[in-house]
Amino acid sequence: MSIPTEPIGSIPRPRALQQALGEHAQGQLGHDELTKLQEQATADTLARLQALDCPVLTDGEQAKPSFATYPLAGLATLAPHGVTIPFADGHVRQLPHLTEGPFRYQVHAESYLRDARRHTDRPLKQAVIAPSALSLLYPAEPIEGYSREAFLRDLADEAEADIRGCLEAGAHVVQLDFTEGRLSLKLDPSGALLDDFIALNNEVLGRFGEAERARLGVHTCPGGDQDSPHSLDVDYAGLLPKLFQLKVGNFYIQLASESDPERVLRIIADQLRPDIRVFVGVIDPIDPRVETPQEVRDRVLLAARHIPVAQLGTCDDCGFAPFADDTSTSRDLAFAKIEARVRGTALAAEALGL
């Protein structure tokens, strides 16, 4: 396929795994039993994606508690009631906050990649959480003996290790999940918080060489938990010029659920530079209707009017189940939408004579 197409990350967990996660949380199921079910779900996810002829695979985050909090699993120096993320339907997600330092990842994404590699020889993509998201763990009141500056230094080191481990383990591409980028403009319309996020992420990304950054990407979306966004009402015009300052070779941009995608494409076109590829979202995970391949084709052809085909790719707008307890989208529906993306992208390539 001459137009690359990639998944974003999460795929709904099987019903048995969902039930097991609840039982494990209540102390009714052991760690080994849960791990076995997660491994089975990972193998099934990879097999189904391969059967759809996806050129790049993902484990669907079957073993992650969420796209954002996997590094915190087992970390004892956390307390509840941290930053709250409100969604459009009224539900909220709340991060914990750090109580003491030093801050260290308990789990690195490389472990998920190595587990997935046992089940396929296809190119594998690995999503990691952007350090900017984890910067929200530091509380408003300073931690005695552990300054915010010291925390950010530790966080940058840990985030670098997370990314570098995935590259060294052979990831086709490592994608930083940066959903907090658009959200930051709702939390702080002045843009100062977004500027801090960009600076922190670039502090980490700047530690990688040019060839490595060609295998790095960043994903932005307005959230998609329980079929509800958190910042779809925030104008992309405030985010995209700053997003494209990030030192990566690939940008994954939610577009299918935008009310005026052509306006967004014009903004993207103004930010293009020769050394990047832009993957536009052609599938809306929140929409319960399965897009047709022809609809996907037409979305790609629209994007090709603004983005040179040599710099164009396609993706889903967002993950289908970014938190492990999200059951709003069925597993079969997610795979049907992924199939439409793959087939529709191929139709667009054919229409463009590629």
Side-chain angles (χ1 to χ4, degrees):
M1 185 179 294
S2 50
I3 299 177
T5 187
E6 295 182 10
I8 288 301
S10 62
I11 292 173
R13 285 76 172 168
R15 186 182 300 273
L17 178 54
Q18 287 283 355
Q19 182 177 347
L21 287 166
E23 293 174 354
H24 182 261
Q26 297 171 10
Q28 300 172 357
L29 185 74
H31 175 75
D32 290 346
E33 291 87 348
L34 178 61
T35 298
K36 182 178 180 180
L37 288 170
Q38 290 170 329
E39 290 175 351
Q40 291 172 351
T42 295
D44 180 71
T45 298
L46 293 165
R48 293 184 68 167
L49 290 175
Q50 191 160 319
L52 296 178
D53 204 25
C54 296
V56 176
L57 309 186
T58 174
D59 68 357
E61 302 186 344
Q62 301 298 291
K64 283 184 180 179
S66 82
F67 79 103
T69 60
Y70 68 88
L72 310 180
L75 183 61
T77 55
L78 294 173
H81 311 307
V83 172
T84 298
I85 302 171
F87 287 79
D89 65 355
H91 87 276
V92 300
R93 293 285 184 177
Q94 191 166 32
L95 296 174
H97 72 267
L98 196 67
T99 59
E100 62 181 82
F103 175 69
R104 298 288 184 267
Y105 280 25
Q106 305 301 292
V107 177
H108 286 85
E110 169 192 354
S111 63
Y112 304 116
L113 181 67
R114 292 190 184 278
D115 286 345
R117 177 53 68 204
R118 296 187 291 110
H119 302 288
T120 183
D121 58 2
R122 293 277 185 95
L124 277 170
K125 178 180 188 175
Q126 183 59 54
V128 302
I129 189 60
S132 52
L134 294 180
S135 72
L136 297 172
L137 295 174
Y138 196 88
E141 294 295 323
I143 298 172
E144 184 177 356
Y146 191 55
S147 68
R148 179 174 179 80
E149 291 72 22
F151 163 72
L152 291 176
R153 288 194 297 270
D154 287 342
L155 172 57
D157 290 344
E158 290 295 301
E160 178 191 357
D162 203 32
I163 297 167
R164 196 171 297 283
C166 294
L167 291 175
E168 292 175 353
H172 170 72
V173 67
V174 180
Q175 170 192 289
L176 277 70
D177 286 329
F178 187 49
T179 184
E180 70 278 7
R182 199 165 178 179
L183 177 64
S184 72
L185 292 171
K186 174 174 281 190
L187 300 175
D188 176 14
S190 76
L193 180 58
L194 176 59
D195 288 341
D196 288 345
F197 283 171
I198 296 293
L200 174 59
N201 290 338
N202 269 341
E203 158 63 24
V204 175
L205 294 168
R207 301 178 183 187
F208 295 88
E210 183 177 349
E212 292 170 318
R213 288 201 294 268
R215 294 168 58 200
L216 301 181
V218 62
H219 167 239
T220 183
C221 76
D225 180 45
Q226 298 180 19
D227 281 353
S228 181
H230 53 54
S231 53
L232 187 59
D233 55 337
V234 174
D235 193 339
Y236 248 151
L239 171 67
L240 291 177
K242 294 184 178 181
L243 180 80
F244 279 94
Q245 295 174 11
L246 290 172
K247 300 173 183 178
V248 296
N250 304 282
F251 292 85
Y252 303 87
I253 299 178
Q254 163 265 345
L255 189 64
S257 55
E258 284 296 307
S259 60
D260 189 354
E262 191 152 22
R263 174 177 176 268
V264 177
L265 286 165
R266 287 194 292 268
I267 298 172
I268 293 171
D270 288 341
Q271 304 302 319
L272 282 179
R273 59 179 189 265
D275 58 338
I276 64 172
R277 185 181 296 275
V278 177
F279 291 77
V280 296
V282 293
I283 293 293
D284 180 3
I286 289 178
D287 187 347
R289 184 184 60 87
V290 178
E291 294 87 346
T292 67
Q294 290 75 24
E295 286 178 283
V296 171
R297 175 201 62 198
D298 292 346
R299 289 172 177 174
V300 180
L301 294 178
L302 175 63
R305 297 178 197 167
H306 300 271
I307 302 171
V309 173
Q311 293 181 264
L312 180 62
T314 68
C315 61
D316 311 309
D317 269 5
C318 191
F320 289 90
F323 293 85
D325 62 358
D326 186 353
T327 59
S328 57
T329 300
S330 77
R331 193 167 169 83
D332 287 342
L333 178 64
F335 284 115
K337 283 175 166 282
I338 290 168
E339 181 178 16
R341 169 170 54 79
V342 173
R343 292 177 58 196
T345 303
L347 288 176
E350 181 181 348
L352 291 166
L354 302 175

